[in-house]
Amino acid sequence: MAEFLSLKDAVKKYLKSGDMAAFEGFTHLIPHAAAHEVIRQGIDELTIVRMTPDLIYDQLIGMGLVKKMIFSYAGNPGVGLLRRVRDSIENGWPRSIEIEEHSHAALANAYEAGAAGLPCAVFRGYLGTELQRVNPNIRSVTCPFTGEELAAVPSIRPDVAFIHALKADRKGNVLIEGIVGVQKEAVLAATHSIVTVEEVVDELDTHMNACILLHWTVSAICEVPGGAHPSYAQGYYGRDNKTYIDWDPIAADREKFQAWMEEHVLKQGPDVFAGRIKGLEVTS
Amino acid sequence: MTGHDFTPDEMMAIAASRALSNTDVCFVGIGPPSAACNIARLTHAPDITLIYESGTIGTAPDVLPLSIGDGELCDTALTTVSVTEMFRYWLQGGKITVGFLGAAQIDRFANINTTVVGDYENPTVRLPGGGGAPEIASSSQEIYITMKQSKRGFVEKLDFFTSFGHGEGGDHRERMGIATKGPTLLITDLAIWKPDPVTKELTVVSLHPGTTKERVQQTVSWAVRFSDDLQETPAPTEEELSVLRALKARTAAAHAGNRVETA
C-alpha cells in the first residue's frame, strides 16, 4: 500500500545493508535521486541489479557500497566505458566486486519471471556465446514437447526496486509513459518498491492502456522533481547528454570522482534535482 | 586515386546504408549502425522500420541518438513497447529481418567480442558487455556488422565470444541449432566483406575508392582473402553525403549542449 514519504525516510525504512536492490529505467527515467540518497545513507554490501548500469552504478560502485553487480551492459551510452566500474573490476578499487553478467534478453526475461512469480525464466538465447562459461546462473532446460534446448536463468526478485516515474495520483497509483523499459516488471518482482515521481496530481489524466502501477503494488512514493537527471522524463525534460559526456573525465580519475561525489551528492539533498533540469524542460 | 572529398567514416556509413531496403525491419545497434540506418531512411528506404532495443518501433529520429533510449526515438516512433516485449515477441519471435551490430573485436568468421580484452576474470580492459547483441545475433534473420578496421579489432582469436557469428565456419551455425543466417555483410571504413558461401570466412568483395589490398591487409591480423571478382565501392553521391552531413550537424548541435536558453 503506497505511503507518501520523503526520499530519505523511504530509503531508511526499506533498504538495509546486504540487500538486493534493482534501480531500473532503460535510459529513460533512471532513478538518480534515489541512488544518491542511498549513497548519502552509506547503505553497503549491496547486490545491485540493472540491465544497463549507467552512471548511477558507476557512482554506487565507486563509493564502495557494492558487493555484487548483476547486469547486461555496463557502458556510458554513446560515450564509452564506465570508468569506476572498470577500476573496480580491473584494479579492485575501491574494492573488488563480484559480477554476474547476462545479456539484455536474459535480464528482461528474468524480471518478467520475477513479476510472474516464477523461479526461472526460459527463452531462446545465449546460443554460441561464452557467457555461460563464466556465469553458472546461465543454464538450460529441454522443452518437454519439442526437445528444443532453451536457455534458463533465475528470476530476479529484488528486496527493493527503485524506479522514477512521471506522476502519481493522491492514492498512490503511478504512471509511466514513453520508454517504459522493465520498470513495471521490476516493481512487481520486488518485495518492496520505492518510486520517485516528478509530481503528485489529482488525476493521472491518461488513456485506457496506460502503463500504471496500482497503489497497492508500491511501498513508498516520493515527490522528487528532476529526480531522473541527467536521464530524462518524457514530457517533462530532456536527457542531459552533455552531463553524460562530461562524466567521462570525472569518472576517469579517482580524486576527481571523490571530489565530485562530495560536492554534488554527499553535501546535497533530493531537492537539488529540481534545479538541475533548468533549461532542459520540454516546451510545447 | 587520391583527392576524394569524403572521409573513410562517411564512406563506411553510406556503404552500410545502401545494404538496407525499404521493406526491412531493422534492429539498430548503437554507434555506427545508427548512422547507417538513418541515412537509409532519409534516402532510398523511407519506409524502413527501425527498431531500437529500448522498445521504440518505427522510429524516425531527426538527430542521431546518443543512447539507444533517447527521447527523440520515442517521440518519433509509431509505438513504444516494454523492453521485455521487445526481446520476447519482436526479436525472439523472428520479426526482425536485419540486426545491425558494431563490435570491438571481430574474427575471420564474424564472431564478435564486446565483453573484455584479455582474460575474463582479470581483464586488461573491461568493455561494456553484450547488451542485446548475443540474441540479436541469433534471432535476427540476418546480421550486418559495421566497424572500423584495425589490427586491434580484426583479430586472429577473440578474447571472448560475446555474439556468435559463424563459429568455426562451415555449417557451425546449423550444428549449434541456430536457424538464422547470421552475419551476411561486414562494412568497414575500407571495404565491404561477405562470408564465403561454403567456408563462411569473411572475404573482401569490394574496396572503397582509394583503398588498396595492402591497406586492408595492414589493418587485419589474419591473412585476408579477396574475392576473385573484387569490385570498387561506388563513391558516395552528392545526395548521400549531404544527407549524412546534415544529420551529423544536427546531431552535434543537439548534443553539444541541449539546454534551451530560458529568459
Side-chain angles (χ1 to χ4, degrees):
Chain A
M1 195 59 77
E3 190 182 8
F4 288 87
L5 295 172
S6 72
L7 183 54
K8 187 176 178 178
D9 289 347
V11 169
K12 198 168 284 195
K13 181 169 179 176
Y14 289 107
L15 187 72
K16 58 187 188 302
S17 175
D19 272 354
M20 178 191 278
F23 295 76
E24 276 301 346
F26 200 89
T27 308
H28 178 220
L29 294 173
I30 298 171
H32 274 269
H36 285 186
E37 184 57 39
V38 170
I39 290 169
R40 271 192 296 277
Q41 294 191 24
I43 301 168
D44 61 1
E45 295 300 314
L46 296 169
T47 293
I48 52 175
V49 192
R50 185 169 157 71
M51 292 180 68
T52 56
D54 194 89
L55 273 53
I56 54 172
Y57 281 16
D58 221 22
Q59 293 168 357
L60 281 162
I61 287 168
M63 296 301 279
L65 302 174
V66 176
K67 175 179 65 179
K68 178 179 178 180
M69 173 170 73
I70 301 171
F71 74 103
S72 47
Y73 184 89
N76 179 351
V79 178
L81 307 170
L82 289 176
R83 299 182 185 279
R84 292 298 91 227
V85 171
R86 277 189 62 190
D87 206 10
S88 169
I89 293 174
E90 294 168 19
N91 310 309
W93 194 92
R95 61 176 291 183
S96 292
I97 56 166
E98 187 188 338
I99 61 171
E100 180 179 325
E101 182 167 8
H102 287 279
S103 67
H104 279 349
L107 286 191
N109 276 280
Y111 274 119
E112 189 177 72
L118 289 169
C120 75
V122 174
F123 63 106
R124 186 179 296 111
Y126 287 131
L127 293 163
T129 79
E130 213 178 326
L131 285 160
Q132 47 268 53
R133 182 180 66 79
V134 296
N135 180 350
N137 270 345
I138 300 170
R139 301 186 195 177
S140 62
V141 293
T142 304
C143 170
F145 305 101
T146 63
E148 184 180 358
E149 192 175 292
L150 296 161
V153 294
S155 61
I156 298 171
R157 308 295 299 270
D159 295 304
V160 186
F162 292 88
I163 67 163
H164 185 74
L166 303 177
K167 48 190 167 183
D169 66 17
R170 305 211 181 270
K171 283 198 182 115
N173 299 303
V174 170
L175 175 72
I176 307 173
E177 279 184 332
I179 289 172
V180 293
V182 291
Q183 288 95 300
K184 181 175 167 182
E185 290 77 7
V187 165
L188 295 179
T191 309
H192 300 292
S193 59
I194 296 175
V195 182
T196 53
V197 295
E198 287 298 320
E199 57 177 341
V200 178
V201 295
D202 292 331
E203 292 288 333
L204 289 180
D205 185 26
T206 182
H207 56 95
M208 60 184 72
N209 296 110
C211 181
I212 292 189
L213 287 162
L214 283 300
H215 65 90
W216 40 267
T217 65
V218 175
S219 313
I221 293 175
C222 321
E223 195 172 23
V224 185
H229 180 271
S231 172
Y232 69 103
Q234 190 74 30
Y236 287 83
Y237 47 93
R239 190 173 191 262
D240 190 353
N241 283 330
K242 188 172 180 300
T243 293
Y244 273 93
I245 294 164
D246 292 347
W247 176 249
D248 199 49
I250 295 163
D253 182 274
R254 291 173 185 176
E255 284 74 33
K256 262 191 200 155
F257 165 76
Q258 285 173 312
W260 191 94
M261 293 301 289
E262 182 69 33
E263 187 61 33
H264 299 278
V265 179
L266 298 179
K267 285 183 181 170
Q268 307 293 341
D271 299 350
V272 76
F273 280 84
R276 289 182 180 168
I277 56 166
K278 287 282 177 279
L280 293 163
E281 295 94 338
V282 173
T283 47
S284 58
Chain B
M1 286 180 64
T2 53
H4 295 287
D5 52 2
F6 54 88
T7 66
D9 280 8
E10 288 174 329
M11 184 73 250
M12 176 166 95
I14 287 164
S17 76
R18 292 171 183 163
L20 293 162
S21 83
N22 213 27
T23 53
D24 272 322
V25 178
C26 182
F27 206 106
V28 187
I30 194 66
S34 201
C37 293
N38 282 289
I39 299 163
R41 183 178 58 80
L42 293 165
T43 54
H44 65 278
D47 298 324
I48 190 170
T49 302
L50 300 186
I51 291 184
Y52 287 75
E53 63 195 11
S54 54
T56 58
I57 300 179
T59 184
D62 186 51
V63 301
L64 291 175
L66 188 69
S67 77
I68 39 75
D70 280 21
E72 176 79 8
L73 296 171
C74 187
D75 290 338
T76 62
L78 199 55
T79 183
T80 297
V81 300
S82 73
V83 170
T84 49
E85 181 179 319
M86 175 54 66
F87 281 98
R88 287 177 67 80
Y89 303 178
W90 301 90
L91 181 61
Q92 182 178 258
K95 309 292 189 289
I96 310 294
T97 63
V98 178
F100 219 131
L101 298 174
Q105 278 186 346
I106 190 168
D107 69 12
R108 72 178 71 214
F109 294 115
N111 302 296
I112 289 176
N113 170 24
T114 50
T115 305
V116 286
V117 177
D119 175 59
Y120 184 82
E121 301 298 337
N122 297 294
T124 319
V125 183
R126 174 63 232 201
L127 300 166
E135 282 74 25
I136 295 172
S138 58
S139 291
S140 304
Q141 290 168 29
E142 63 185 312
I143 297 296
Y144 299 163
I145 302 166
T146 184
M147 63 185 287
K148 289 168 85 158
Q149 288 191 204
S150 72
K151 276 217 151 90
R152 266 196 338 176
F154 282 60
V155 297
E156 187 70 53
K157 186 175 181 302
L158 293 184
D159 288 337
F160 194 88
F161 257 74
T162 311
S163 305
F164 194 81
H166 294 289
E168 293 165 5
D171 64 348
H172 199 174
R173 268 180 93 83
E174 287 118 274
R175 286 190 283 116
M176 295 287 294
I178 309 175
T180 52
K181 285 186 202 161
T184 53
L185 195 61
L186 164 66
I187 305 103
T188 72
D189 50 336
L190 302 177
I192 299 173
W193 307 58
K194 286 184 180 174
D196 179 271
V198 179
T199 68
K200 301 295 181 194
E201 178 175 338
L202 285 168
T203 306
V204 178
V205 296
S206 183
L207 293 175
H208 296 336
T211 304
T212 61
K213 285 184 173 184
E214 292 70 29
R215 178 83 188 108
V216 170
Q217 183 60 70
Q218 282 162 4
T219 54
V220 176
S221 300
W222 66 83
V224 178
R225 288 193 55 217
F226 294 89
S227 165
D228 296 337
D229 183 30
L230 193 61
Q231 304 289 311
E232 179 174 290
T233 313
T237 65
E238 287 297 321
E239 188 209 7
E240 287 169 328
L241 272 180
S242 65
V243 165
L244 169 58
R245 287 172 184 174
L247 180 64
K248 290 276 191 192
R250 287 198 300 275
T251 301
H255 294 175
N258 46 4
R259 286 173 187 270
V260 188
E261 287 305 318
T262 44

